[in-house]
Amino acid sequence: MNLSFIKDSAYEMFVTLIYILNFSAVLHLIFREKRDTQTTMAWILILLTIPAVGFVLYITFGHGISKDNMFKIKEEEDRILKDNIVNTHAKLECDNNLDASLVANRDIIYALANSNYAHYSTNNSVDIYEKPNEFFDSLLDELKKAKEYINIQFYIFKDDDIGNKIIDILLEKLNEGVEVRLLYDAVGSRLFSDRSIDKLKKAGVKVGCFFPSFMKVVNFNLNYRNHRKIVVIDGNVGFVGGNNVGDEYLGKDPKFGYWRDTHLKLTGECVRDLNIRFMLDWRFTTQENLDMDKYFIQKNTMIPTETSCDNVGVQIVSSGPDITELDEIKYGYMKMIQGAKKYLYIQSPYFILDKTLVDILRVACLSGVDVRIMIPSKPDHPFVYWASYSYAGELLKFGAKLYTYDENAFLHAKTIVIDDTICSIGTANMDIRSFELNFEVNAFMYSPEVARKQKKIFENDILKSKEITLDIYNSRSNIVRIKQSISRLLSPVL
């Protein structure tokens, strides 16, 4: 009798504790987290409908991070950034310094400069790589040319075939006296072996791990990841885009098949801005005190190639959950969508929108803009895929065109281009996670030549895609509709 009473009491106490914890989590969400309404309501729904599991999910994926001064700006960096913004404003105030196509886009340049310290520079050269093998060939070649330093940062870094090729070059350059820093994300790079990390560290490579996991298993910041992919070599050449370091990006994983991604090689003044982003991430992660003047002395970095688009206006824009009031890359996307008059082409593996983006895309469609959206034909994350299909499909009735890329490939590119004027390529997907949870970086480029080149790439991709018409979308099965409904309900927390 006493044993039964103890068991019943223990169960009641456990249930009571769960409800107390869940109620505390709900109060924390409402009064402390201050997230958008959609996300808050989604987590409250999870906490209330599946109390025990919901609390574990919230602690693992949903709790916030300390956002106060994550990436502290030191005096010398503050001087560099403020000088950049003063220079940007000076350039924009004189129409004679701007190409005619840029005058009409002055508002977006101002918005990104004022919200993100995003310096606007014009003496830049841009190469777009639509094939991962071309990107990796260029990366390996530029790494071999390094004379002073290499700063390399990836969300995913694996020590497989391509990863080991990069590691071998880094060790070789280190022996030649080149300073090497490698920054990786703990969750994205969970398959990056301790053996390779130790080898790099023992050789003298400076290695940093963003939000490290405990015993490579438990991570208390699982939901907040550094999704940036940045490489800066000698302050002369920079890379940014969608590719990570892994053999699957070269089409060697049968699950995904051919990997379709987009990456940039940048030369010119914008490389310094990309390097600033790396340095801020690096110091937060490693606490290393760097001499900024060593890395930011202005250089003649214009090194055009035969395939480059030259004299390109560029802003390097970063965003992350460390600043709660601003979603900088999202603002850039919104300004592009609002500014489109002729066409708007979007590629993203994940397409999950908040109400603001849904509304402005609807308005763009209703305004006669040729809105085209391209997503993968296969999921790498099922819930995310079905939510993406739902949001993209909803726009069909307003006049948008939807394409699913080659069923034997995976589309991972994050691109948006409008009206032969502006193009953005980088690490940020068109989804809530990229806008609110991940640390991202994009290059916004103001150039008819770059825009037309990306437009042409998109049009070539259409030839390998299936168009999902409104009739096809409306004829989807009940099973698909159920998957979409559940995924859409959970989309704010995916």
Side-chain angles (χ1 to χ4, degrees), residues 84-99:
N84 284 346
I85 300 309
V86 169
N87 291 337
T88 295
H89 285 188
K91 289 177 183 177
L92 295 175
E93 287 166 6
C94 181
D95 288 354
N96 293 332
N97 290 340
L98 291 176
D99 184 275

Side-chain angles (χ1 to χ4, degrees), residues 49 80 83 130 137 142 144 147 175 183 244 323 326 361 367 414 462 491:
T49 55
I80 292 169
D83 286 347
E130 59 186 294
D137 287 346
E142 294 295 342
K144 292 174 183 177
K147 301 296 183 185
N175 290 332
L183 178 60
N244 288 289
I323 302 177
L326 299 173
L361 281 168
S367 301
K414 305 97 166 43
I462 288 177
S491 62

Side-chain angles (χ1 to χ4, degrees), residues 230-466:
I230 296 172
V231 180
V232 176
I233 301 164
D234 294 344
N236 294 329
V237 179
F239 293 89
V240 65
N243 287 290
N244 288 289
V245 174
D247 285 347
E248 67 268 32
Y249 293 84
L250 287 164
K252 296 181 180 180
D253 187 336
K255 174 184 175 182
F256 296 108
Y258 174 72
W259 193 279
R260 169 68 185 86
D261 221 322
T262 304
H263 222 93
L264 297 174
K265 179 170 78 172
L266 305 170
T267 57
E269 191 176 349
C270 68
V271 175
R272 185 172 77 155
D273 303 317
L274 193 62
N275 209 18
I276 289 174
R277 180 66 269 165
F278 174 89
M279 291 297 186
L280 293 175
D281 286 8
W282 178 261
R283 192 177 61 241
F284 169 77
T285 303
T286 67
Q287 304 301 310
E288 182 183 0
N289 190 21
L290 298 169
D291 177 9
M292 293 296 112
D293 288 336
K294 176 180 177 181
Y295 302 98
F296 298 122
I297 296 174
Q298 191 62 45
K299 299 182 178 183
N300 178 17
T301 58
M302 189 70 167
I303 313 173
T305 66
E306 292 182 2
T307 59
S308 297
C309 304
D310 301 330
N311 297 315
V312 177
V314 177
Q315 283 179 292
I316 300 298
V317 182
S318 57
S319 64
D322 51 312
I323 302 177
T324 54
E325 298 86 1
L326 299 173
D327 297 319
E328 299 93 326
I329 293 177
K330 175 185 170 183
Y331 292 168
Y333 285 173
M334 289 171 60
K335 289 292 289 183
M336 288 181 68
I337 295 167
Q338 290 171 330
K341 298 293 187 294
K342 299 176 182 177
Y343 74 86
L344 166 67
Y345 293 172
I346 299 170
Q347 289 177 314
S348 180
Y350 318 121
F351 192 79
I352 298 176
L353 311 177
D354 60 17
K355 188 177 186 304
T356 304
L357 282 167
V358 169
D359 285 345
I360 63 171
L361 281 168
R362 285 176 179 174
V363 170
C365 292
L366 294 171
S367 301
V369 178
D370 180 10
V371 177
R372 304 189 186 195
I373 299 161
M374 189 177 294
I375 61 175
S377 62
K378 63 173 72 173
D380 63 339
H381 304 293
F383 282 108
V384 176
Y385 175 79
W386 291 115
S388 298
Y389 195 63
S390 173
Y391 280 103
E394 179 184 303
L395 295 171
L396 290 173
K397 60 186 175 184
F398 295 94
K401 295 178 181 177
L402 172 61
Y403 303 91
T404 56
Y405 188 72
D406 189 349
E407 63 182 16
N408 297 313
F410 184 72
L411 177 71
H412 193 249
K414 305 97 166 43
T415 72
I416 176 170
V417 58
I418 65 167
D419 294 352
D420 291 357
T421 54
I422 308 176
C423 176
S424 177
I425 297 173
T427 70
N429 299 301
M430 185 66 74
D431 73 343
I432 294 172
R433 173 166 292 278
S434 278
F435 298 145
E436 298 183 5
L437 299 177
N438 286 342
F439 298 89
E440 308 280 5
V441 62
N442 273 39
F444 284 75
M445 296 161 285
Y446 307 86
S447 163
E449 189 179 358
V450 171
R452 284 193 290 266
K453 186 170 184 179
Q454 177 54 37
K455 178 186 179 183
K456 182 64 176 177
I457 291 171
F458 188 99
E459 290 171 342
N460 287 339
D461 286 338
I462 288 177
L463 301 178
K464 302 175 184 178
S465 302
K466 175 183 179 181

Side-chain angles (χ1 to χ4, degrees), residues 50-85:
I50 45 173
V53 176
F55 183 76
V56 173
L57 290 173
Y58 175 71
I59 291 298
T60 306
F61 298 103
H63 74 92
I65 57 174
S66 176
K67 300 176 174 67
D68 295 333
N69 297 318
M70 265 191 71
F71 299 95
K72 294 179 181 177
I73 306 295
K74 292 180 13 179
E75 183 178 349
E76 60 266 35
E77 291 153 352
D78 186 57
R79 171 179 51 79
I80 292 169
L81 293 173
K82 287 182 177 177
D83 286 347
N84 284 346
I85 300 309

